[in-house]
Amino acid sequence: MKIGELARISNVTKRTIDHYTNFGLLNMERSASNYRYYDHSAIRRLKFIEQCKKDGMSLSEIKDLVIDKEAEEIDVLELRLKIKGLEKEVSEVLAHLDKGDLKNHEHLKKNVSHESLSLIQALLLLLN
């Protein structure tokens, strides 16, 4: 959405949005015709910023809080991707074990990550 629409929806001025954007609190994209566009998450971010200001926080404190929150979200996303990869490897190993496919034992040892092997060992300990 354009800056004017964001300002209207969020009940803040375009100048305030510019200030927050220049300060690094809001992200925007520029169109080929140089219009500023903000995604819908900017509405939530503006409400968060305004609430923090009402609570007495400075823009620097808010920025630190936002940066920490974004870093946590990235960490969680990376962990989820790692877990999915481990789940896939474990599923492949279990499928080979179900088939009694011991011929590929060496192949599995070479291609399964140490994390997956540790996970499999822990699961086997729990199952026994």
Side-chain angles (χ1 to χ4, degrees), residues 30-45:
R30 288 229 182 239
S31 69
S33 55
N34 212 26
Y35 284 108
R36 290 169 287 182
Y37 283 95
Y38 295 84
D39 65 20
H40 282 40
S41 67
I43 298 168
R44 285 189 309 275
R45 177 68 61 88

Side-chain angles (χ1 to χ4, degrees), residues 15-102:
R15 185 174 177 182
T16 297
I17 293 171
D18 273 338
H19 181 63
Y20 293 164
T21 302
N22 291 333
F23 195 75
L25 287 168
L26 290 173
N27 298 319
M28 61 95 179
E29 301 282 330
R30 288 229 182 239
S31 69
S33 55
N34 212 26
Y35 284 108
R36 290 169 287 182
Y37 283 95
Y38 295 84
D39 65 20
H40 282 40
S41 67
I43 298 168
R44 285 189 309 275
R45 177 68 61 88
L46 278 170
K47 288 179 182 179
F48 176 76
I49 294 167
E50 292 300 309
Q51 184 59 52
C52 289
K53 283 177 53 182
K54 285 179 186 175
D55 293 342
M57 293 178 72
S58 70
L59 289 183
S60 294
E61 291 170 323
I62 297 168
K63 186 175 181 180
D64 290 343
L65 192 61
V66 166
I67 289 170
D68 288 346
K69 184 179 177 188
E70 287 174 350
E72 286 175 12
E73 289 172 358
I74 289 170
D75 288 345
V76 168
L77 180 61
E78 287 176 2
L79 284 173
R80 285 185 178 152
L81 291 172
K82 184 75 171 172
I83 288 170
K84 284 187 186 246
L86 291 173
E87 287 173 345
K88 182 181 177 207
E89 287 183 2
V90 169
S91 295
E92 290 172 1
V93 169
L94 292 175
H96 284 287
L97 291 175
D98 282 345
K99 292 178 187 175
D101 188 3
L102 298 177

